[in-house]
Amino acid sequence: MVFMGDRATLLETGRFARMRSDDAADAETEARHRRAADSGDAASMSVLGSLLLRRGDLDSAERYLRGATAEGDRAAANNLGVLLHQRGYADEAAGWWRIAAVAGSAAAAHALGRHYRERGDEPAAEYWLRQSAEQGHALGAYALADLLEHRSDVGAERWLRAAAEQGHREAAYRLARLIDQRAEHDGGESDIAVEAEPDTEARAAEAEQWYRQAAARGHRRAALHLGAILEKRGELKEAGRWYLTSAKDGEAKAACALGFLLRDAGDEESAAVWWLRAAQDGDGNAANALGALHAARGEPQTAERWYRAAMDAGDDNGAYNLALLCAAQERTAQAEQWYRRAAYAGHREAANALAVLLLQAGDATGAEPWFSKAAEAGSVDAAFNLGILFASRDDDHAALKWYERAAAAGHTEAALQVGMALLRDGEEAAAERHLRCAAGGGSAEAAFRLATVLDARQPPQGAQVLGEPPAEKTECEEWYERAAGQGHRRAQVRVGMLAAARGDQDGAARWYREAAEAGSRNGAFNLGLLLAREGREREAALWWTRAANAGHGRAALRLALLAARCGELAEGQRWCARAVELGPAEVAERAARLREALHQELTA
């Protein structure tokens, strides 16, 4: 006997799959079975009933299926249950499914298990679904896995795997998600109880395999996840193909991800097309991307419209981005409104930005809780800003705590502040570690301070002996040069001094001049000394004047001596007075003696 019902595919919702076939062959098969069925052949009645059921001719199908069931055909009993279920007679359908299931029909056992689960009778549902699954029925295995997952039963994975191995695409997708969840929740809870933890790399490879199987069978979310895996691995072309497949099937997140891939590849116009498609399907991330695109093009009104669309889609970044847009347009009140909306929704960077806005408005009391909320949520900038806030209140202990927290998360300026605090406390080794982090992160001040720490450890170096090769640059000099190259004026002066000590007068002059032109009075003074040694006193006087006017006492004394040598006694006295005023003590004492001598000369 041919049990057509056992081989039919029952869907989750409609329960019966309509199979495409050649029309002529179908007609011939139907005519042959109709002749046999009308002659009383039970097998042909079952097959014909199945064909008519597929076609949707329920009245004719029911007559033949009932005839076959009267002869004990289990496939007919299963299909009669399907027919009655489609007509709304669920209880009668269950009776026929039971008859077929008891006779060994896996499809009927699956349908009966689904019936009991819909009625809330989970023990009966599990019994019949297990009967179906153990006979190798893919839908029965999947439905059993779904039931066990609902109860967090470890057996769910086994039946998901069984269904996936038979080609059930949803089972393959959910099995891949389960494996991914293990990776995401190692040591925590997963949506399904698990039995063992495989190696991480093997787990990732297995998840990818199941995503690929489900995606190949048309599962759009599996294609999305597969694309994400491939993109993370750098296989952008294949990732784009799977994103495209998923996006064409209506997956908004895939369309959004495809847009970002295209943008990164330089095809902004195509990216906008996919973002638009995703945003119209309710993807907030795509709406934000469109907003940013239009903002960058100088189209703030269009950008604002898309940011609002992102908010409507439930994406808090929309409010944050809208606040940034308003802030850029100096619409402070609106910016505060949108920052506040995003911050109340838990957006940590919005909370930090709101606190900065309040602080700028003089509301330090209102700013502090928002900084705290953002910092506790993981905002590194907010932790650093809290450090600044407490430092402004002379609460160094609290400030250091927040600086340390931000520094541990990689904040360059926070690491600098921690390093400086440790230097003040005499903890040089710990300070050096933080200064290295900050200097490596690009802080010129950290590079300079690290150089001074290393410089202090170096033994004093003797003068360069003529004919000897120049000494190699020390690490400390390399850090000075890095800071100098970033525009740090004190580092530039120090690099100039090191160059002069090596006999590199041109290099020294270059660094002194760069520092002086950036406003360094020490750079201007040292440049003046170099020029004076070369006999260029007039030019030297210009740089000493700049240094003296900026408060450099030694430069004022040099100008007084120069004026005295040139016979400009009154000018010399004026610069002596300035040197006495500026100091330091040694300079003030010498300037006072010179002023007295010039006074005597003038009154003689």
Side-chain angles (χ1 to χ4, degrees):
M1 183 180 290
V2 179
F3 299 121
M4 296 296 293
D6 285 351
R7 292 201 295 270
T9 302
L10 299 181
L11 301 179
E12 290 184 49
T13 53
R15 293 190 185 272
F16 202 90
R18 300 182 182 276
M19 310 294 289
R20 292 188 300 172
S21 58
D22 180 80
D23 291 341
D26 274 357
E28 182 182 347
T29 301
E30 182 179 337
R32 177 165 51 83
H33 283 298
R34 189 180 293 276
R35 287 193 297 271
D38 289 342
S39 298
D41 184 82
S44 290
M45 281 190 262
S46 178
V47 173
L48 181 60
S50 175
L51 290 172
L52 293 169
L53 180 57
R54 284 193 180 98
R55 187 189 300 164
D57 185 355
L58 302 188
D59 291 336
S60 299
E62 183 174 356
R63 179 166 63 88
Y64 285 109
L65 290 174
R66 285 190 183 277
T69 55
E71 298 294 326
D73 189 298
R74 72 180 190 188
N78 173 52
N79 288 334
L80 181 57
V82 173
L83 184 149
L84 292 168
H85 186 275
Q86 288 183 7
R87 283 185 160 170
Y89 303 123
D91 292 334
E92 189 179 352
W96 288 109
W97 280 329
R98 179 182 293 276
I99 290 169
V102 170
S105 170
H110 163 244
L112 188 58
R114 288 289 304 275
H115 168 79
Y116 280 120
R117 188 171 184 192
E118 288 168 0
R119 292 292 188 273
D121 188 349
E122 287 196 3
E126 181 180 352
Y127 174 82
W128 289 110
L129 290 175
R130 195 174 292 278
Q131 294 293 318
S132 174
E134 288 177 349
Q135 292 180 65
H137 194 274
L139 288 175
Y142 176 74
L144 177 59
D146 189 65
L147 178 64
L148 295 175
E149 177 189 351
H150 175 68
R151 298 206 299 254
S152 298
D153 192 307
V154 293
E157 181 184 355
R158 171 194 169 191
W159 294 111
L160 271 181
R161 192 175 296 277
E165 287 171 350
Q166 294 179 69
H168 193 292
R169 71 179 189 182
E170 184 66 24
Y173 171 70
R174 288 177 66 174
L175 180 58
R177 293 296 301 138
L178 169 59
I179 295 167
D180 267 354
Q181 286 167 5
R182 279 207 194 101
E184 294 167 4
H185 301 286
D186 276 342
E189 294 183 356
S190 174
D191 290 347
I192 303 177
V194 296
E195 296 170 322
E197 292 296 334
D199 175 76
T200 303
E201 290 185 8
R203 189 185 336 170
E206 186 184 8
E208 181 180 343
Q209 168 202 335
W210 291 117
Y211 281 134
R212 193 175 291 278
Q213 177 174 309
R217 291 177 178 272
H219 196 292
R220 69 186 193 187
R221 299 209 68 190
L224 167 65
H225 284 280
L226 180 57
I229 290 169
L230 293 166
E231 181 183 2
K232 187 175 181 180
R233 205 159 62 210
E235 298 176 25
L236 302 184
K237 279 193 174 181
E238 189 179 358
R241 285 198 297 271
W242 285 112
Y243 282 148
L244 180 61
T245 298
S246 180
K248 284 182 174 178
D249 285 342
E251 183 60 48
K253 288 183 178 179
C256 181
L258 181 58
F260 282 111
L261 266 190
L262 290 166
R263 182 204 62 183
D264 293 344
D267 190 353
E268 201 173 75
E269 294 304 319
S270 296
V273 170
W274 287 105
W275 282 334
L276 178 62
R277 182 167 175 171
Q280 289 173 338
D281 286 341
D283 189 282
N285 195 23
N288 270 315
L290 281 172
L293 181 65
H294 287 287
R297 291 175 175 174
E299 302 168 358
Q301 290 182 330
T302 308
E304 182 170 338
R305 179 167 62 85
W306 283 114
Y307 289 148
R308 288 180 182 274
M311 284 192 293
D312 292 341
D315 192 320
D316 299 330
N317 282 315
Y320 176 62
N321 289 332
L322 186 52
L324 292 174
L325 187 68
C326 292
Q329 297 172 335
E330 297 185 355
R331 295 157 58 193
T332 307
Q334 291 94 329
E336 180 180 341
Q337 169 194 346
W338 297 117
Y339 280 140
R340 198 175 291 276
R341 173 168 171 168
Y344 274 121
H347 195 293
R348 65 189 188 189
E349 296 310 326
N352 177 58
L354 174 61
V356 170
L357 207 62
L358 294 171
L359 196 59
Q360 290 171 342
D363 186 4
T365 304
E368 184 180 343
W370 286 112
F371 276 139
S372 296
K373 184 175 182 179
E376 294 296 348
S379 171
V380 180
D381 287 336
F384 176 67
N385 289 334
L386 270 176
I388 294 174
L389 187 64
F390 283 113
S392 70
R393 298 173 181 171
D394 295 325
D395 188 346
D396 293 338
H397 178 73
L400 182 59
K401 180 189 79 169
W402 287 108
Y403 284 144
E404 287 176 334
R405 185 163 176 172
H411 196 287
T412 297
E413 291 303 312
L416 169 62
Q417 294 299 324
V418 173
M420 291 167 59
L422 292 169
L423 278 179
R424 286 193 298 269
D425 293 340
E427 299 179 35
E428 189 175 290
E432 180 184 342
R433 188 170 64 253
H434 283 91
L435 290 174
R436 284 186 183 277
C437 289
S443 169
E445 181 66 25
F448 173 72
R449 289 182 180 271
L450 175 59
T452 59
V453 169
L454 299 173
D455 204 357
R457 295 179 189 162
Q458 293 187 153
Q461 296 181 354
Q464 181 75 29
V465 179
L466 290 176
E468 283 191 359
E472 291 185 3
K473 289 181 181 178
T474 61
E475 185 189 7
C476 114
E477 188 169 352
E478 289 174 354
W479 284 113
Y480 276 134
E481 287 188 356
R482 180 181 291 196
Q486 292 175 267
H488 195 286
R489 294 181 301 179
R490 291 172 67 192
Q492 289 168 342
V493 173
R494 183 63 181 147
V495 172
M497 293 171 66
L498 292 170
R502 289 197 306 270
D504 181 5
Q505 301 303 312
D506 290 340
R510 178 171 61 83
W511 284 113
Y512 288 150
R513 188 179 299 275
E514 196 163 330
E517 288 176 346
S520 168
R521 62 189 185 185
N522 284 331
F525 175 70
N526 288 357
L527 181 57
L529 289 178
L530 275 186
L531 293 168
R533 287 177 193 145
E534 295 174 0
R536 298 157 64 183
E537 287 192 339
R538 185 179 296 277
E539 191 177 349
L542 294 175
W543 290 108
W544 283 335
T545 301
R546 180 182 288 197
N549 288 336
H552 199 290
R554 293 183 189 280
L557 179 58
R558 287 280 176 173
L559 286 167
L561 290 168
L562 186 60
R565 285 202 302 274
C566 294
E568 299 174 0
L569 303 184
E571 182 72 5
Q573 275 193 315
R574 186 174 70 82
W575 283 116
C576 282
R578 181 67 172 153
V580 169
E581 178 188 343
L582 295 174
E586 175 194 350
V587 169
E589 184 181 344
R590 290 182 60 194
R593 288 201 304 269
L594 178 59
R595 182 173 58 176
E596 181 60 31
L598 292 174
H599 177 71
Q600 290 176 3
E601 185 71 23
L602 281 169
T603 57

